Amino acid sequence: MSRQQEQKGFFKTLFSKWWAWALVPVACIALIFTALIISIGITPESVEEVTSQKVEVQEKLDKSEARREKVESSIEQTKSSLKDAQAKLADSEAKLKKAESASKDKKEAGKKDSKALQNKLAKSESNLKETKGDLKETKDKLDSASAKVTELTKQLKEANNQVAKAKDEVKTANAKTEEAKAETEKALAKVKETPAPAKEEPVTEEPKKETASSGSFHNPVLDFNPSNVASTIKSNAEQRWKDDYQMQDYEVQQQTSAYNQLKNVAVDSEVKQTQMENALSRWGYDFEMVQYEYSEQMDAYNN
């Protein structure tokens, strides 16, 4: 408790007594003297105390100032560290953004590459399907061509057999012709040996009849109706090569070409007319075989 508080407590206790009021004047005088004495005795100590307190406060103030300067220095260092940290943070953020941008670009490039690869894969699959389709179509065509080759080979064998038969028939006919020639020569020899020359005139006129009758020979192919020939050729091709329009067209062209060539054949002898009629009777509207057989027969005849 301070001195002033003690004094206040003393006076409060004093004034609470009744007899204290009688002593008020005495107390006032005593108080005055006491105050003078106290003021004289206490003043130097208070000054020293105040000075001491002032020094103490100044020291505390100096310490506080030093602490404040130290704190300010720490704050400045902290601010500097904070700036460095902020700069590093900004740099890190920039690097992070750059990395994110690069990653995004890589993702976009990866997506594009993936799409391109998918497109290439889809295109390759499409090309593979088309190639398989083409391969299947080629295989079907090859099978069809093989079947056609087989059929043509069969027809060729039949034609060769027929040619062989025709050659045999030609040989037989040639043999008969040779026999007829021999008999004719014998008859002519006998006629020459006879002494009646006047009767030989009708014999010498027989070649004239043959040359005169040459105008009656005609090409039997011309007897065919052209429109009927065209429709029959087309119908036969459709029946032979069902659903194979390429072979149908080829067949029609070949048969039509053979028909036109046969029409232009000059049939100026009985042999030609007979061979043409025989070929037509055997092969009908198959003009390719008619042409082939007629040519073979005439080549054999001319040889």
Side-chain angles (χ1 to χ4, degrees), residues 266-284:
V267 179
D268 53 3
S269 66
E270 184 178 359
V271 175
K272 291 182 179 180
Q273 182 175 340
T274 301
Q275 293 302 322
M276 186 69 75
E277 289 174 350
N278 291 339
L280 287 170
S281 64
R282 180 174 294 177
W283 297 105

Side-chain angles (χ1 to χ4, degrees), residues 254-300:
Q254 293 298 109
Q255 291 290 349
T256 303
S257 176
Y259 168 70
N260 292 328
Q261 291 177 12
L262 288 171
K263 285 196 305 181
N264 295 324
V265 173
V267 179
D268 53 3
S269 66
E270 184 178 359
V271 175
K272 291 182 179 180
Q273 182 175 340
T274 301
Q275 293 302 322
M276 186 69 75
E277 289 174 350
N278 291 339
L280 287 170
S281 64
R282 180 174 294 177
W283 297 105
Y285 285 89
D286 192 348
F287 296 104
E288 280 189 291
M289 290 306 298
V290 171
Q291 185 182 31
Y292 175 79
E293 182 170 336
Y294 175 78
S295 298
E296 291 294 317
Q297 293 289 354
M298 294 309 300
D299 288 341

Side-chain angles (χ1 to χ4, degrees), residues 13 160 190-191 294:
T13 303
N160 289 332
K190 289 180 180 180
V191 170
Y294 175 78

Side-chain angles (χ1 to χ4, degrees), residues 2 8 33 51 64 131 167 252 271 276 278 297:
S2 65
K8 288 181 179 179
F33 285 106
T51 302
S64 297
T131 304
K167 286 182 178 181
V252 169
V271 175
M276 186 69 75
N278 291 339
Q297 293 289 354

Side-chain angles (χ1 to χ4, degrees), residues 237 241 244-255:
W241 306 106
D244 191 343
Y245 302 104
Q246 185 177 4
M247 287 304 298
Q248 289 178 16
D249 184 63
Y250 176 78
E251 178 83 9
V252 169
Q253 290 179 5
Q254 293 298 109
Q255 291 290 349

Side-chain angles (χ1 to χ4, degrees), residues 230-241:
S231 61
T232 304
I233 288 174
K234 184 176 181 182
S235 177
N236 291 339
E238 290 175 352
Q239 290 178 2
R240 179 175 294 179
W241 306 106

Side-chain angles (χ1 to χ4, degrees), residues 65 108 125 179 191 218 224 231 279 298:
E65 187 69 22
E108 293 294 330
E125 290 178 351
E179 290 178 359
V191 170
H218 71 284
F224 286 85
S231 61
M298 294 309 300

